[in-house]
């Protein structure tokens, strides 16, 4: 009964755990932020068609728990036996920006040992027939990251920094557009963590906040003195 985004997101988390230096570690004190982009639309469309032809009784009771914004985060939390906070972020076109901002903001304030961030999206939105059945076969992608509060003792592949510009800088902030997809974001993480030529990557949110990813060698250089009008949140 799970939505496609939930299935792919849980699989991404399991693959990420398998790739960790210690895949047997417990995540019971972790939380999770799920940020699906336009999830639940196939089942939602089918439910609306069924309701129009046979009434509300034709709808499945699984629609609400499996197609809500929090379904992805809840599935990951239950699957890994987590006791930290779990919540869905965004769900709309700007899920990457809103999911990243939520996770990096929450990881230092949640009281948990860490936080999983799971981002999902279709390569192309499914095309549905009159009954709500998909007639195309798009690919659903997911990126899963385990975030921890930043400390000097941590040894992490990359560091995230959220920078809030002052009002003068906001005049030139990113204003609309498609923005990077999950594949682009995953590529940026891989490049920064791999010790290659690319050591940092910047993502500007539609409301002006900048989220930067630094490789270990450049993370320390990013911690320059606070500038006027700047706020920082960090996660590794």
């Amino acid at each position: 009964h799970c939505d496609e985004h939930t299935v792919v997101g849980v699989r991404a988390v399991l693959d990420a755990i398998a790739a960790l230096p210690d895949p047997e570690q417990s995540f019971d004190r972790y939380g999770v932020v799920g940020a699906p982009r336009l999830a639940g639309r196939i089942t939602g469309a089918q439910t609306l068609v069924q309701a129009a032809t046979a009434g509300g009784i034709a709808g499945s009771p699984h629609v609400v728990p499996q197609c809500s914004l929090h379904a992805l985060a809840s599935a990951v939390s239950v699957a890994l036996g987590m006791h930290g906070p779990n919540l869905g972020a965004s769900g709309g076109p700007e899920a990457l920006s809103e999911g990243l901002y939520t996770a990096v903001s929450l990881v230092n304030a949640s009281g948990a040992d860490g936080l999983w961030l799971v981002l999902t999206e279709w390569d192309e939105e499914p095309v549905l027939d009159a009954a709500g059945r998909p007639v195309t076969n798009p690919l659903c992608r997911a990126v899963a990251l385990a975030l921890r509060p930043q400390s000097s003792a941590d040894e992490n592949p990359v560091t995230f920094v959220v920078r809030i510009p002052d009002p003068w800088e906001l005049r030139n902030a990113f204003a609309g557009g498609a923005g990077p997809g999950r594949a682009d974001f995953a590529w940026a993480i891989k490049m920064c963590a791999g010790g290659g030529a690319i050591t940092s990557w910047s993502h500007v949110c539609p409301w002006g906040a900048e989220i930067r990813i630094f490789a270990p060698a450049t993370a320390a250089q990013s911690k320059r003195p606070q500038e006027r009008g700047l706020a920082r949140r960090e996660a590794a």
Side-chain angles (χ1 to χ4, degrees):
H1 299 291
C2 289
D3 183 75
E4 290 84 357
H5 287 254
T6 300
V7 175
V8 176
V10 172
R11 175 58 186 264
V13 172
L14 296 178
D15 285 349
I17 292 174
L20 290 173
D22 179 16
E24 299 299 324
Q25 67 178 291
S26 173
F27 293 99
D28 62 320
R29 288 185 49 80
Y30 269 58
V32 56
V33 171
R37 185 181 187 276
L38 307 178
R41 304 181 85 190
I42 296 177
T43 302
Q46 295 172 355
T47 300
L48 291 175
V49 171
Q50 293 167 354
T53 57
I57 196 172
S60 168
H62 296 284
V63 172
V64 172
Q66 300 295 351
C67 296
S68 72
L69 175 59
H70 303 288
L72 169 59
S74 297
V76 174
S77 179
V78 171
L80 295 180
M82 295 179 179
H83 298 286
N86 79 83
L87 69 151
S90 183
E94 303 298 341
L96 175 59
S97 297
E98 293 167 3
L100 271 171
Y101 191 83
T102 300
V104 177
S105 299
L106 184 62
V107 68
N108 290 300
S110 66
D113 290 347
L115 198 72
W116 279 97
L117 170 62
V118 189
L119 304 155
T120 62
E121 72 173 358
W122 293 107
D123 269 2
E124 297 179 358
E125 276 297 293
V127 177
L128 309 180
D129 61 18
R133 294 184 296 263
V135 296
T136 56
N137 189 29
L139 182 65
C140 191
R141 296 183 183 273
V143 177
L145 299 171
L147 304 178
R148 294 186 296 176
Q150 178 68 19
S151 72
S152 58
D154 283 340
E155 295 183 3
N156 298 287
V158 295
T159 296
F160 289 77
V161 175
V162 176
R163 177 178 178 271
I164 312 298
D166 62 30
W168 290 100
E169 292 180 271
L170 286 175
R171 293 183 304 171
N172 300 316
F174 176 78
R182 304 302 173 273
D184 299 319
F185 177 64
W187 176 85
I189 293 286
K190 181 178 180 180
M191 291 297 101
C192 291
I198 297 176
T199 58
S200 68
W201 180 80
S202 178
H203 173 68
V204 180
C205 302
W207 57 91
E210 180 188 19
I211 301 173
R212 299 200 67 186
I213 304 171
F214 294 96
T218 57
Q221 301 173 13
S222 72
K223 298 178 181 179
R224 57 184 181 276
Q226 296 284 331
E227 302 175 30
R228 181 179 61 84
L230 276 178
R232 288 178 178 271
R233 296 184 178 93
E234 298 187 10

PDB file of all heavy atoms in Angstrom, residues 159-163 200-203 210-214 224:
ATOM      1  N   THR A 159      30.312  18.860   5.127  1.00  0.00           N
ATOM      2  CA  THR A 159      29.679  19.736   6.112  1.00  0.00           C
ATOM      3  C   THR A 159      28.680  20.637   5.400  1.00  0.00           C
ATOM      4  O   THR A 159      28.976  21.189   4.339  1.00  0.00           O
ATOM      5  CB  THR A 159      30.736  20.597   6.831  1.00  0.00           C
ATOM      6  OG1 THR A 159      31.611  19.744   7.559  1.00  0.00           O
ATOM      7  CG2 THR A 159      30.081  21.581   7.784  1.00  0.00           C
ATOM      8  N   PHE A 160      27.500  20.771   5.991  1.00  0.00           N
ATOM      9  CA  PHE A 160      26.464  21.660   5.470  1.00  0.00           C
ATOM     10  C   PHE A 160      26.455  22.944   6.299  1.00  0.00           C
ATOM     11  O   PHE A 160      26.509  22.892   7.522  1.00  0.00           O
ATOM     12  CB  PHE A 160      25.075  21.017   5.574  1.00  0.00           C
ATOM     13  CG  PHE A 160      24.849  19.881   4.626  1.00  0.00           C
ATOM     14  CD1 PHE A 160      25.401  18.634   4.869  1.00  0.00           C
ATOM     15  CD2 PHE A 160      24.082  20.049   3.493  1.00  0.00           C
ATOM     16  CE1 PHE A 160      25.186  17.578   4.015  1.00  0.00           C
ATOM     17  CE2 PHE A 160      23.854  19.001   2.620  1.00  0.00           C
ATOM     18  CZ  PHE A 160      24.421  17.764   2.884  1.00  0.00           C
ATOM     19  N   VAL A 161      26.364  24.065   5.637  1.00  0.00           N
ATOM     20  CA  VAL A 161      26.231  25.353   6.298  1.00  0.00           C
ATOM     21  C   VAL A 161      25.052  26.088   5.678  1.00  0.00           C
ATOM     22  O   VAL A 161      24.959  26.211   4.459  1.00  0.00           O
ATOM     23  CB  VAL A 161      27.513  26.210   6.155  1.00  0.00           C
ATOM     24  CG1 VAL A 161      27.295  27.600   6.757  1.00  0.00           C
ATOM     25  CG2 VAL A 161      28.698  25.528   6.812  1.00  0.00           C
ATOM     26  N   VAL A 162      24.146  26.569   6.523  1.00  0.00           N
ATOM     27  CA  VAL A 162      23.030  27.390   6.064  1.00  0.00           C
ATOM     28  C   VAL A 162      23.359  28.845   6.352  1.00  0.00           C
ATOM     29  O   VAL A 162      23.670  29.207   7.490  1.00  0.00           O
ATOM     30  CB  VAL A 162      21.711  27.002   6.761  1.00  0.00           C
ATOM     31  CG1 VAL A 162      20.579  27.935   6.327  1.00  0.00           C
ATOM     32  CG2 VAL A 162      21.350  25.568   6.432  1.00  0.00           C
ATOM     33  N   ARG A 163      23.295  29.659   5.342  1.00  0.00           N
ATOM     34  CA  ARG A 163      23.632  31.080   5.463  1.00  0.00           C
ATOM     35  C   ARG A 163      22.384  31.903   5.146  1.00  0.00           C
ATOM     36  O   ARG A 163      21.760  31.726   4.099  1.00  0.00           O
ATOM     37  CB  ARG A 163      24.756  31.423   4.494  1.00  0.00           C
ATOM     38  CG  ARG A 163      25.164  32.883   4.456  1.00  0.00           C
ATOM     39  CD  ARG A 163      26.334  33.044   3.484  1.00  0.00           C
ATOM     40  NE  ARG A 163      26.737  34.430   3.361  1.00  0.00           N
ATOM     41  CZ  ARG A 163      26.220  35.283   2.486  1.00  0.00           C
ATOM     42  NH1 ARG A 163      25.266  34.876   1.656  1.00  0.00           N
ATOM     43  NH2 ARG A 163      26.636  36.531   2.423  1.00  0.00           N
ATOM     44  N   SER A 200      33.246  22.338  -2.961  1.00  0.00           N
ATOM     45  CA  SER A 200      32.079  22.977  -2.355  1.00  0.00           C
ATOM     46  C   SER A 200      30.982  23.114  -3.399  1.00  0.00           C
ATOM     47  O   SER A 200      31.247  23.116  -4.609  1.00  0.00           O
ATOM     48  CB  SER A 200      32.430  24.347  -1.762  1.00  0.00           C
ATOM     49  OG  SER A 200      32.753  25.269  -2.794  1.00  0.00           O
ATOM     50  N   TRP A 201      29.766  23.208  -2.920  1.00  0.00           N
ATOM     51  CA  TRP A 201      28.587  23.343  -3.791  1.00  0.00           C
ATOM     52  C   TRP A 201      27.574  24.200  -3.064  1.00  0.00           C
ATOM     53  O   TRP A 201      27.396  24.080  -1.850  1.00  0.00           O
ATOM     54  CB  TRP A 201      28.010  21.965  -4.084  1.00  0.00           C
ATOM     55  CG  TRP A 201      26.798  21.953  -4.979  1.00  0.00           C
ATOM     56  CD1 TRP A 201      26.790  22.049  -6.336  1.00  0.00           C
ATOM     57  CD2 TRP A 201      25.432  21.782  -4.589  1.00  0.00           C
ATOM     58  NE1 TRP A 201      25.499  21.966  -6.812  1.00  0.00           N
ATOM     59  CE2 TRP A 201      24.646  21.796  -5.759  1.00  0.00           C
ATOM     60  CE3 TRP A 201      24.795  21.619  -3.349  1.00  0.00           C
ATOM     61  CZ2 TRP A 201      23.261  21.655  -5.729  1.00  0.00           C
ATOM     62  CZ3 TRP A 201      23.425  21.477  -3.320  1.00  0.00           C
ATOM     63  CH2 TRP A 201      22.675  21.491  -4.500  1.00  0.00           C
ATOM     64  N   SER A 202      26.934  25.097  -3.795  1.00  0.00           N
ATOM     65  CA  SER A 202      26.011  26.036  -3.174  1.00  0.00           C
ATOM     66  C   SER A 202      24.626  25.896  -3.790  1.00  0.00           C
ATOM     67  O   SER A 202      24.475  25.780  -5.009  1.00  0.00           O
ATOM     68  CB  SER A 202      26.519  27.473  -3.359  1.00  0.00           C
ATOM     69  OG  SER A 202      25.611  28.403  -2.793  1.00  0.00           O
ATOM     70  N   HIS A 203      23.617  25.895  -2.920  1.00  0.00           N
ATOM     71  CA  HIS A 203      22.223  25.857  -3.363  1.00  0.00           C
ATOM     72  C   HIS A 203      21.496  27.038  -2.742  1.00  0.00           C
ATOM     73  O   HIS A 203      21.470  27.179  -1.521  1.00  0.00           O
ATOM     74  CB  HIS A 203      21.551  24.552  -2.938  1.00  0.00           C
ATOM     75  CG  HIS A 203      20.079  24.517  -3.222  1.00  0.00           C
ATOM     76  ND1 HIS A 203      19.573  24.479  -4.499  1.00  0.00           N
ATOM     77  CD2 HIS A 203      19.003  24.537  -2.389  1.00  0.00           C
ATOM     78  CE1 HIS A 203      18.246  24.469  -4.449  1.00  0.00           C
ATOM     79  NE2 HIS A 203      17.880  24.507  -3.176  1.00  0.00           N
ATOM     80  N   GLU A 210      21.014  30.437   1.623  1.00  0.00           N
ATOM     81  CA  GLU A 210      22.012  29.686   0.870  1.00  0.00           C
ATOM     82  C   GLU A 210      22.457  28.479   1.686  1.00  0.00           C
ATOM     83  O   GLU A 210      22.818  28.616   2.853  1.00  0.00           O
ATOM     84  CB  GLU A 210      23.228  30.563   0.549  1.00  0.00           C
ATOM     85  CG  GLU A 210      24.303  29.817  -0.233  1.00  0.00           C
ATOM     86  CD  GLU A 210      25.584  30.612  -0.393  1.00  0.00           C
ATOM     87  OE1 GLU A 210      25.771  31.580   0.389  1.00  0.00           O
ATOM     88  OE2 GLU A 210      26.387  30.267  -1.258  1.00  0.00           O
ATOM     89  N   ILE A 211      22.417  27.308   1.080  1.00  0.00           N
ATOM     90  CA  ILE A 211      22.882  26.081   1.723  1.00  0.00           C
ATOM     91  C   ILE A 211      24.138  25.631   0.999  1.00  0.00           C
ATOM     92  O   ILE A 211      24.104  25.358  -0.208  1.00  0.00           O
ATOM     93  CB  ILE A 211      21.807  24.987   1.676  1.00  0.00           C
ATOM     94  CG1 ILE A 211      20.538  25.459   2.380  1.00  0.00           C
ATOM     95  CG2 ILE A 211      22.326  23.693   2.322  1.00  0.00           C
ATOM     96  CD1 ILE A 211      19.376  24.518   2.242  1.00  0.00           C
ATOM     97  N   ARG A 212      25.243  25.561   1.719  1.00  0.00           N
ATOM     98  CA  ARG A 212      26.523  25.206   1.110  1.00  0.00           C
ATOM     99  C   ARG A 212      27.017  23.877   1.654  1.00  0.00           C
ATOM    100  O   ARG A 212      26.848  23.559   2.826  1.00  0.00           O
ATOM    101  CB  ARG A 212      27.565  26.296   1.343  1.00  0.00           C
ATOM    102  CG  ARG A 212      27.197  27.648   0.750  1.00  0.00           C
ATOM    103  CD  ARG A 212      28.402  28.526   0.575  1.00  0.00           C
ATOM    104  NE  ARG A 212      29.306  27.991  -0.446  1.00  0.00           N
ATOM    105  CZ  ARG A 212      30.516  28.510  -0.712  1.00  0.00           C
ATOM    106  NH1 ARG A 212      30.965  29.536  -0.017  1.00  0.00           N
ATOM    107  NH2 ARG A 212      31.283  27.974  -1.641  1.00  0.00           N
ATOM    108  N   ILE A 213      27.619  23.110   0.786  1.00  0.00           N
ATOM    109  CA  ILE A 213      28.219  21.835   1.139  1.00  0.00           C
ATOM    110  C   ILE A 213      29.731  21.975   0.967  1.00  0.00           C
ATOM    111  O   ILE A 213      30.203  22.424  -0.083  1.00  0.00           O
ATOM    112  CB  ILE A 213      27.714  20.699   0.230  1.00  0.00           C
ATOM    113  CG1 ILE A 213      26.189  20.609   0.282  1.00  0.00           C
ATOM    114  CG2 ILE A 213      28.332  19.366   0.630  1.00  0.00           C
ATOM    115  CD1 ILE A 213      25.633  19.648  -0.753  1.00  0.00           C
ATOM    116  N   PHE A 214      30.477  21.607   2.000  1.00  0.00           N
ATOM    117  CA  PHE A 214      31.926  21.715   1.965  1.00  0.00           C
ATOM    118  C   PHE A 214      32.557  20.339   2.148  1.00  0.00           C
ATOM    119  O   PHE A 214      32.105  19.548   2.977  1.00  0.00           O
ATOM    120  CB  PHE A 214      32.443  22.637   3.076  1.00  0.00           C
ATOM    121  CG  PHE A 214      32.047  24.075   2.921  1.00  0.00           C
ATOM    122  CD1 PHE A 214      30.941  24.567   3.579  1.00  0.00           C
ATOM    123  CD2 PHE A 214      32.791  24.923   2.120  1.00  0.00           C
ATOM    124  CE1 PHE A 214      30.576  25.894   3.454  1.00  0.00           C
ATOM    125  CE2 PHE A 214      32.434  26.257   1.984  1.00  0.00           C
ATOM    126  CZ  PHE A 214      31.318  26.745   2.650  1.00  0.00           C
ATOM    127  N   ARG A 224      34.640  31.336   8.995  1.00  0.00           N
ATOM    128  CA  ARG A 224      35.213  32.651   9.210  1.00  0.00           C
ATOM    129  C   ARG A 224      34.333  33.423  10.200  1.00  0.00           C
ATOM    130  O   ARG A 224      33.216  33.031  10.464  1.00  0.00           O
ATOM    131  CB  ARG A 224      35.323  33.400   7.888  1.00  0.00           C
ATOM    132  CG  ARG A 224      34.004  33.549   7.152  1.00  0.00           C
ATOM    133  CD  ARG A 224      34.246  34.209   5.806  1.00  0.00           C
ATOM    134  NE  ARG A 224      33.002  34.391   5.074  1.00  0.00           N
ATOM    135  CZ  ARG A 224      32.424  33.470   4.324  1.00  0.00           C
ATOM    136  NH1 ARG A 224      32.970  32.269   4.218  1.00  0.00           N
ATOM    137  NH2 ARG A 224      31.298  33.719   3.681  1.00  0.00           N
TER     138      ARG A 224
END
